[in-house]
Amino acid sequence: MNRKALQKLSYGVYIVTTADSSTSAGCVANSAMQITSSPAQVAISINHDNATHDAIVQNQKFAISVLATDTEPALIGSFGYRSSRDVDKFAGIACEMHDGIPVLTNAMAWMTCRVVQTMDCGTHTIFLGEVLDADINKESAIPMTYLYYHSVIKGKSPKNAPTYVPDET
């Protein structure tokens, strides 16, 4: 099977964040989609190994920050290739708290969600969230797609990403 065919599906690039009583966690996600409009619900897919996964399970809330094409690649690297267990990913990052969850102020749009259902998918959990609040920070920004991330920024998928394909040897 050519796993690169799966990368031809259209994805965005998002930072998913959450917080519990003592710490904030966040990671890059490319699997986020609107499920219903009334009530507004979205789904995300997070790897079981990510600290963000455990924090969402504990907190039962998450936020999605939609990244634009002008996002600094270092932000993606910071949230995508390091663990919230080891470093404070939010140090030096401009955030605002909404519904008790940090949201990146430089994101083009954001939404906060309350988990209403989960589905275990082996390595990942799909979290279905009811949207509590949402807003747009940059009306004219262009959403970053995974294709843009790979072809223009030359980014790679981290090992925990659903689209990860090991380098051919």
Side-chain angles (χ1 to χ4, degrees):
M1 171 172 55
N2 185 348
R3 293 192 174 275
K4 290 184 179 181
L6 297 170
Q7 292 179 336
K8 300 302 179 189
L9 294 170
S10 180
Y11 299 96
V13 181
Y14 314 96
I15 302 287
V16 174
T17 55
T18 191
D20 59 29
S21 58
S22 61
T23 188
S24 297
C27 66
V28 173
N30 66 354
S31 299
M33 64 181 167
Q34 183 176 351
I35 302 297
T36 61
S37 61
S38 183
Q41 295 182 103
V42 295
I44 59 170
S45 172
I46 304 293
N47 189 293
H48 291 174
D49 292 339
N50 289 358
T52 305
H53 176 277
D54 296 342
I56 293 171
V57 169
Q58 179 177 346
N59 190 35
Q60 292 294 293
K61 286 185 182 177
F62 61 88
I64 302 170
S65 293
V66 181
L67 301 184
T69 54
D70 65 355
T71 299
E72 288 294 323
L75 178 71
I76 298 168
S78 177
F79 276 87
Y81 290 95
R82 302 184 309 163
S83 174
S84 294
R85 290 181 188 95
D86 302 326
V87 297
D88 178 4
K89 293 183 179 184
F90 296 89
I93 304 297
C95 292
E96 293 178 354
M97 296 300 283
H98 292 276
D99 296 312
I101 307 164
V103 173
L104 280 62
T105 55
N106 288 334
M108 66 174 291
W110 58 268
M111 60 206 72
T112 58
C113 304
R114 176 182 58 85
V115 174
V116 295
Q117 195 168 354
T118 62
M119 185 169 88
D120 188 315
C121 299
T123 59
H124 288 66
T125 297
I126 296 174
F127 293 96
L128 177 65
E130 182 176 359
V131 177
L132 302 172
D133 196 7
D135 206 353
I136 297 172
N137 295 332
K138 300 176 184 178
E139 187 71 48
S140 62
I142 300 168
M144 183 182 299
T145 64
Y146 223 49
L147 176 62
Y148 183 92
Y149 173 71
H150 285 293
S151 62
V152 176
I153 295 178
K154 305 295 185 199
K156 301 278 185 189
S157 298
K159 188 180 84 167
N160 287 352
T163 54
Y164 175 73
V165 175
D167 288 334
E168 295 177 8
T169 56

